[in-house]
């Protein structure tokens, strides 16, 4: 049966693509029903359009108040009967109203082994630069539940990536991203079972 997934993304959309491919291959039985981006030139919107998935470019700036923005998001999530929200490179905080309404059903992926290398300023290449600077031997990716504080929700699953002696931030970022593409579908599979049992 699977779940109706909504993906929020601001960037290139490679995690979105990996999730779509996991749906197509049958690895997961869910489907992406909605993609929302705050960035009109985001690759994620292109990926969604190519796959005939409804997209919305929505950002706080387009609304008078945070509350109006939240109401619009909640209306869309309701209209598309979204079961699970996936943040995949979404560069904004979700409004508290949305976080409360979908509590336990919002996931984020982070390119490090949280609680290490999370929080303020820890996004994109900065995460991998910090890992290299600290001479870590292992890093990885984390999927966690989203609450109202950045990168602090319950950790659902992590996958390790070995830091090679000649790695720089860019090469490490590439390998961590490949790992993210395996990790997110695995977690969705876990939630397919969990939400089915709960319903
Ligand atoms: C990923 O590294 C993810 O962990 C982080 O943002 C990046 C998004 O990449 N939150 P993409 O847009 O899915 O390619």
């Amino acid at each position: 049966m699977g779940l109706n997934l909504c993906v929020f993304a601001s960037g290139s959309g490679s995690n979105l693509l990996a999730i779509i491919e996991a749906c197509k291959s049958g690895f997961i039985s869910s489907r992406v029903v909605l993609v929302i981006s705050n960035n009109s030139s985001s690759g994620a919107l292109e990926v969604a359009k190519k796959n005939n998935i409804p997209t919305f470019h929505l950002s706080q700036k387009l609304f008078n108040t945070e509350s109006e923005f939240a109401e619009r998001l909640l209306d869309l999530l309701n209209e598309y009967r979204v079961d699970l929200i996936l943040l995949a490179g979404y560069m904004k905080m979700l409004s508290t109203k949305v976080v409360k309404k979908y509590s336990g059903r919002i996931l984020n992926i982070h390119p490090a082994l949280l609680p290490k290398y999370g929080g303020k300023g820890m996004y994109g290449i900065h995460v991998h630069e910090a890992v290299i600077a600290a001479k870590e031997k292992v890093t990885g990716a984390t999927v966690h539940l989203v609450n109202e504080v950045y990168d602090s929700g319950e950790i659902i699953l992590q996958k390790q990536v070995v830091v090679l002696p000649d790695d720089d931030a860019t090469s490490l970022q590439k390998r961590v991203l490949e790992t993210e593409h395996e990790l997110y579908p695995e977690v969705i599979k876990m939630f397919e079972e969990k939400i089915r049992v709960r319903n």
Side-chain angles (χ1 to χ4, degrees), residues 150-196:
Y150 264 128
D151 299 335
S152 72
E154 182 193 336
I155 290 171
I156 304 296
L157 198 64
Q158 299 185 302
K159 252 183 199 285
Q160 294 190 344
V161 173
V162 173
V163 183
L164 301 174
D166 58 352
D167 260 331
D168 58 14
T170 310
S171 62
L172 192 55
Q173 181 178 42
K174 188 166 171 279
R175 285 208 317 290
V176 171
L177 197 57
E178 285 163 4
T179 299
E180 291 180 42
H181 298 160
E182 296 167 11
L183 179 63
Y184 229 162
E186 282 178 27
V187 173
I188 296 166
K189 211 177 169 71
M190 287 166 61
F191 270 70
E192 285 177 344
E193 194 59 22
K194 192 175 164 195
I195 293 180
R196 192 179 63 80

Side-chain angles (χ1 to χ4, degrees), residues 4-171:
N4 289 337
L5 310 173
C6 170
V7 177
F8 281 72
S10 312
S12 72
S14 71
N15 275 288
L16 168 64
L17 183 60
I19 293 164
I20 293 171
E21 279 169 358
C23 297
K24 283 186 182 164
S25 74
F27 179 73
I28 52 178
S29 45
S30 299
R31 63 214 75 82
V32 181
V33 294
L34 183 60
V35 171
I36 296 175
S37 182
N38 61 312
N39 173 8
S40 59
S41 54
S42 147
L45 289 177
E46 287 306 308
V47 168
K49 283 177 193 155
K50 270 191 199 140
N51 286 279
N52 301 314
I53 296 166
T55 59
F56 290 86
H57 166 228
L58 290 180
S59 89
Q60 171 74 63
K61 282 181 249 162
L62 305 170
F63 295 84
N64 291 324
T65 63
E66 195 194 326
S67 176
E68 276 178 34
F69 180 36
E71 287 305 327
R72 175 73 176 127
L73 289 178
L74 287 172
D75 283 349
L76 277 174
L77 295 168
N78 189 38
E79 185 185 333
Y80 285 85
R81 301 185 183 283
V82 170
D83 300 304
L84 187 63
I85 297 175
L86 307 168
L87 307 186
Y90 186 59
M91 298 303 285
K92 298 282 171 192
M93 273 302 258
L94 268 189
S95 129
T96 310
K97 264 192 185 171
V98 178
V99 173
K100 284 203 172 126
K101 180 84 195 285
Y102 284 83
S103 167
R105 293 180 180 221
I106 310 178
L107 297 170
N108 181 43
I109 190 156
H110 185 78
L113 296 175
L114 291 174
K116 280 182 153 186
Y117 305 103
K120 207 170 182 315
M122 282 295 148
Y123 62 89
I125 197 75
H126 304 302
V127 175
H128 308 289
E129 283 166 355
V131 167
I132 297 274
K135 300 191 177 1
E136 296 283 3
K137 296 216 164 8
V138 176
T139 183
T142 302
V143 173
H144 64 92
L145 283 172
V146 170
N147 58 21
E148 285 142 56
V149 183
Y150 264 128
D151 299 335
S152 72
E154 182 193 336
I155 290 171
I156 304 296
L157 198 64
Q158 299 185 302
K159 252 183 199 285
Q160 294 190 344
V161 173
V162 173
V163 183
L164 301 174
D166 58 352
D167 260 331
D168 58 14
T170 310
S171 62

